[in-house]
Amino acid sequence: MIKDTYYSIFGSSGLVGCHLLNLLKDKKGVKVRAFYNTRKPLIKSRNISFKKLDILNAKSLTSYLKGQDYVINVSGIVCPTRKLISDPINPVFENLNIFSKIIKSSYQAKVKKFLWLSSTTGYPSRSDELREDLMFKGNPPDFWYGLGWMIRYCESLCKYLNYLSQNKMKIIVLRPTMIYGDYYDFKKKHQHFFGDFIRQIVQRKKLINIYGNGADKKNLIYAGDVAALILEAMKKINTYEAINIRNIKSYSIIEYLEIMMKIENYFPKVVCKNLNEKEFEEKKISLQKAHKIFDMKQLVNIIDGTKKTIDWFKSTH
């Protein structure tokens, strides 16, 4: 008799969490415990049970994780540039507290594997390609200093707990670039530029503002691809690893906007504002390690991913 595999997913009603549940729902031999906070669950199935939980105010998570095989942590507070400008403190400490509680409880519950969705925010400013071993070679850029060092601390804690001899919990860290896709929460007060552009175009705004000149490049990876890579990593990797994941190609902010306008066949006036606003040079994130483990050539292209996101917005708003 084959034993069921038990997953616990934190952040299950978020962007990546929804895609994870879509991949795991109705899967024979898989049982999922999905934790969420404020946003109601969107994916339902017989093999998925939901638990509403405010992690920051929870006294103990360990009891919830007893008997779980895998813990996947895709929870946290998203920090777009404008949110971090208005509040550079709370996102750092709240994300640190959320992460610390989840990984400590997972370790105490003696789960087999723990995966954390980290970020490329911790990388320093360098002109060369950023391999995984360069994360700690120099400080993060000034604007991202606090958030970047928080990411680095959490990753260091992952590595530390992975190698403690009294516990066999294996830990995997994936470092994605900016994530987009269907199930994006368009109700958030502070949004990344991608979601904000989609909302304005679908609602047929006559004027769209771009902050800066729109030439700075961003790398966006589709949430469904991130979810698939997470499950593949859980299956293939049995030791500590930190791995970059990103889309094959990057585009400028103005190019993303043009893609959306062509899909919708709607071309509003575009105005660049605050041209003296600080532009961030694109980080050249290496995929050398990822190519050895995953099939990165099968990722969703930006046109198909944008169409999926637009369709999601239309169907839910």
Side-chain angles (χ1 to χ4, degrees):
M1 187 175 181
I2 299 174
K3 179 184 176 294
D4 287 334
T5 302
Y6 290 85
Y7 286 83
S8 276
I9 299 176
F10 288 91
S12 63
S13 61
L15 178 56
V16 177
C18 286
H19 281 273
L20 279 169
L21 294 186
N22 255 335
L23 293 175
L24 293 172
K25 71 177 183 180
D26 302 325
K27 216 164 192 182
K28 191 175 180 179
V30 171
K31 292 188 177 179
V32 182
R33 184 173 293 165
F35 295 92
Y36 72 99
N37 184 9
T38 55
R39 193 182 184 196
K40 291 183 178 180
L42 300 171
I43 310 298
K44 296 181 180 180
S45 172
R46 289 182 179 180
N47 68 329
I48 301 173
S49 61
F50 287 93
K51 176 66 179 176
K52 182 173 171 47
L53 187 68
D54 181 357
I55 296 171
L56 289 173
N57 294 314
K59 292 182 179 179
S60 175
L61 304 178
T62 307
S63 60
Y64 297 125
L65 300 178
K66 289 286 186 181
Q68 299 294 292
D69 297 304
Y70 303 141
V71 171
I72 300 174
N73 181 14
V74 292
S75 64
I77 298 167
V78 179
C79 299
T81 302
R82 295 199 166 274
K83 180 180 174 85
L84 207 58
I85 289 173
S86 63
D87 183 5
I89 301 298
N90 285 317
V92 174
F93 285 94
E94 288 177 8
N95 277 315
L96 179 59
N97 287 335
I98 289 170
F99 170 83
S100 300
K101 284 193 172 186
I102 294 173
I103 196 169
K104 179 184 177 183
S105 300
S106 300
Y107 185 82
Q108 290 173 334
K110 298 183 178 179
V111 304
K112 294 176 182 177
K113 283 186 183 179
F114 178 93
L115 185 143
W116 180 49
L117 198 61
S118 178
S119 168
T120 55
T121 308
Y123 276 112
S125 293
R126 295 174 65 114
S127 58
D128 54 341
E129 195 173 53
L130 293 167
R131 303 183 315 271
E132 286 78 357
D133 59 302
L134 295 176
M135 173 66 87
F136 294 87
K137 304 293 184 181
N139 284 317
D142 290 344
F143 180 78
W144 301 105
Y145 187 89
L147 198 62
W149 269 108
M150 183 274 294
I151 293 290
R152 291 179 175 194
Y153 171 73
C154 292
E155 286 202 13
S156 298
L157 196 56
C158 285
K159 193 171 185 179
Y160 168 67
L161 290 176
N162 183 84
Y163 290 119
L164 282 181
S165 59
Q166 64 265 36
N167 197 323
K168 300 298 182 182
M169 183 174 79
K170 298 304 176 187
I171 301 178
I172 305 160
V173 174
L174 295 186
R175 300 170 180 163
T177 50
M178 188 184 296
I179 303 170
Y180 78 101
D182 35 326
Y183 299 108
Y184 183 85
D185 186 0
F186 285 92
K187 294 180 181 178
K188 288 180 179 177
K189 182 180 178 181
H190 296 280
Q191 297 182 16
H192 284 303
F193 72 91
F194 193 85
D196 195 39
F197 285 167
I198 285 179
R199 179 183 55 78
Q200 293 184 73
I201 289 173
V202 173
Q203 292 178 348
R204 297 300 191 255
K205 300 295 183 182
K206 295 181 179 180
L207 173 67
I208 294 180
N209 292 317
I210 292 180
Y211 293 91
N213 61 19
D216 51 325
K217 288 194 170 185
K218 304 286 183 182
N219 188 278
L220 271 65
I221 183 169
Y222 180 62
D225 289 330
V226 175
L229 292 172
I230 286 173
L231 296 182
E232 192 173 350
M234 295 295 276
K235 181 179 179 180
K236 288 183 175 180
I237 300 172
N238 293 301
T239 185
Y240 176 79
E241 290 285 1
I243 309 164
N244 295 332
I245 55 172
R246 64 165 172 83
N247 213 332
I248 302 301
K249 187 176 179 181
S250 299
Y251 296 86
S252 69
I253 288 179
I254 193 69
E255 285 174 326
Y256 284 117
L257 181 57
E258 288 171 351
I259 288 170
M260 296 172 194
M261 291 192 293
K262 288 177 182 177
I263 290 172
E264 281 294 286
N265 194 29
Y266 179 69
F267 302 91
K269 183 179 180 180
V270 178
V271 175
C272 294
K273 296 184 69 175
N274 298 354
L275 292 177
N276 59 344
E277 189 168 281
K278 182 177 176 58
E279 303 288 344
F280 297 96
E281 186 177 347
E282 182 194 8
K283 295 176 180 178
K284 299 173 184 177
I285 305 298
S286 171
L287 281 181
Q288 187 175 355
K289 183 187 280 191
H291 279 307
K292 294 178 180 178
I293 303 170
F294 310 118
D295 184 2
M296 301 299 289
K297 295 179 181 179
Q298 299 300 314
L299 301 185
V300 172
N301 66 64
I302 189 62
I303 295 176
D304 290 342
T306 303
K307 285 179 180 177
K308 289 175 183 285
T309 312
I310 289 174
D311 288 344
W312 161 255
F313 179 79
K314 287 180 175 180
S315 68
T316 56
H317 295 72

